[in-house]
Amino acid sequence: GTKKKAACPGLGLFYTILSAFLFSVASLLLKKIEDVHSVEVSAFRCVFQMAFVLPGLIYYKTGFLGPKGKRIFLFFRGFLGSVAMVLLYYAYQVMPLADATVITFTSPVFTSLLAWIFLKEKYTLWDLLFTLFAVTGVILIARPPFLFGSRVTGIEGSYSDHLKGTIAAIASTLSAASTIVILRKVGKSVHYFLSIWYYAVIGLVGCVIALFVLNEWRLPHCGRDRVFLILIGLLGLGGQIFLTKALQIEKAGPVSIMRTMDVVFAFILQVLFLNHLPTWWTVGGALCVVASSSGTAIRKWRHSVKKAKQREI
């Protein structure tokens, strides 16, 4: 028979780096947009998601509601995913880009904790250690005055905004971790496109309602900001596509480790385009969080490899 052509070595990791770069550039453009609420930016992102997913739903004939027993899970996946997006965009707007990016990388640690609580997955002392590392990293970035004194340096704007951004980033991370736990619960019984569809539709409806309640709906003042809004939607979509393709051809462990390039790109873009040098507290917090997320990914990767070998035996 004909031999199957081997995939290009390292292609999945290249896709991961490309995804990280696209996500980082989208975050940078979000910082550059003036006087547009994070909820409105999220609404534009949802529109692009819907435009991309709709043809896929029609092609794969998945329907628009999904299996009856899974709809409640899909609803909460969409709701929590959209909440995570809005809160993350708000954090990007009110605190340094690198700080918000680093906090989002505590997601694997919180995912392990939530999976232990709701899915009864194993939670070891290593997981507890990685959780403590992640919490330490967040504390170094937030720098609460009761630990670091009243004179907090290296932040954007007031400390009040910095604290609000930190809380929003943590809440976004918890919401994102919850969506991963829900997707694990659903498993492969629901098509990936259908999951994104719920995320985009519920997110768009929620954002429109929130914009009317907050009375924050407005068109950007200049053409540049309108172009940035479109680019944020396209870059976010591209980043998600490349990350999905990476997970299709590469093991989850190496992809999770390589995703820490998000942090590297965030630091570089912040220095080059925002003229904001990170403090040593931020660098220390980033090292703690990256060590935590990488450790979690490596441990799960080794565990999955070990289980695969046992099945072969």
Side-chain angles (χ1 to χ4, degrees):
T2 57
K3 289 185 178 179
K4 191 176 180 180
K5 189 177 180 181
C8 177
L11 183 61
L13 299 183
F14 172 74
Y15 283 155
T16 308
I17 295 174
L18 186 56
S19 168
F21 178 73
L22 294 178
F23 281 134
S24 299
V25 174
S27 305
L28 173 66
L29 295 180
L30 180 62
K31 295 284 290 182
K32 288 288 189 179
I33 289 179
E34 298 176 1
D35 201 29
V36 178
H37 201 279
S38 58
V39 178
E40 186 174 345
V41 180
S42 303
F44 274 94
R45 170 78 181 272
C46 289
V47 169
F48 278 95
Q49 296 271 35
M50 290 174 64
F52 167 75
V53 171
L54 185 58
L57 292 178
I58 296 171
Y59 178 80
Y60 289 107
K61 299 178 181 178
T62 61
F64 296 96
L65 296 177
K68 284 187 178 180
K70 306 294 182 181
R71 290 173 187 174
I72 185 66
F73 295 111
L74 287 169
F75 172 80
F76 280 108
R77 180 268 182 269
F79 175 74
L80 291 170
S82 57
V83 167
M85 175 176 57
V86 172
L87 291 173
L88 179 60
Y89 282 0
Y90 175 77
Y92 280 139
Q93 286 184 330
V94 300
M95 68 188 302
L97 179 63
D99 290 16
T101 303
V102 168
I103 292 175
T104 62
F105 270 81
T106 58
S107 180
V109 179
F110 288 124
T111 301
S112 298
L113 182 60
L114 292 175
W116 171 60
I117 295 171
F118 295 106
L119 302 181
K120 308 303 178 185
E121 292 186 6
K122 193 175 181 181
Y123 192 80
T124 65
L125 286 174
W126 280 109
D127 292 311
L128 178 61
L129 179 64
F130 295 143
T131 303
L132 293 175
F133 260 93
V135 171
T136 301
V138 173
I139 290 173
L140 290 176
I141 291 170
R143 280 163 281 163
F146 68 89
L147 289 177
F148 293 83
S150 57
R151 296 181 64 184
V152 181
T153 59
I155 62 174
E156 289 181 2
S158 66
Y159 180 76
S160 174
D161 284 341
H162 183 79
L163 185 59
K164 289 177 184 176
T166 301
I167 294 171
I170 295 171
S172 170
T173 302
L174 286 170
S175 297
S178 300
T179 62
I180 294 173
V181 171
I182 291 172
L183 289 174
R184 284 188 190 174
K185 178 70 175 178
V186 171
K188 296 181 180 180
S189 60
V190 176
H191 197 278
Y192 175 73
F193 276 162
L194 195 59
S195 173
I196 301 178
W197 174 255
Y198 267 81
Y199 165 59
V201 171
I202 294 174
L204 180 60
V205 172
C207 287
V208 170
I209 294 172
L211 285 170
F212 276 106
V213 171
L214 297 171
N215 195 24
E216 288 286 349
W217 175 262
R218 61 174 67 89
L219 282 174
H221 293 304
C222 64
R224 188 196 70 166
D225 286 351
R226 296 174 191 179
V227 172
F228 282 175
L229 273 176
I230 295 172
L231 287 175
I232 287 170
L234 292 175
L235 291 169
L237 185 57
Q240 195 166 37
I241 291 171
F242 281 114
L243 182 59
T244 303
K245 289 185 69 67
L247 289 168
Q248 286 175 343
I249 62 177
E250 186 60 79
K251 294 185 185 299
V255 171
S256 298
I257 296 168
M258 194 58 69
R259 278 211 66 199
T260 56
M261 286 298 296
D262 275 30
V263 177
V264 176
F265 286 134
F267 275 99
I268 293 172
L269 294 176
Q270 178 175 295
V271 173
L272 291 179
F273 297 100
L274 301 176
N275 298 319
H276 187 88
L277 289 172
T279 64
W280 287 111
W281 293 116
T282 297
V283 174
L287 291 175
C288 287
V289 171
V290 168
S292 172
S293 61
S294 299
T296 301
I298 291 170
R299 197 188 70 79
K300 290 187 179 296
W301 180 27
R302 291 183 61 184
H303 180 66
S304 64
V305 170
K306 186 177 179 181
K307 284 182 69 176
K309 287 182 179 179
Q310 287 175 349
R311 282 197 294 267
E312 288 176 3
I313 295 171

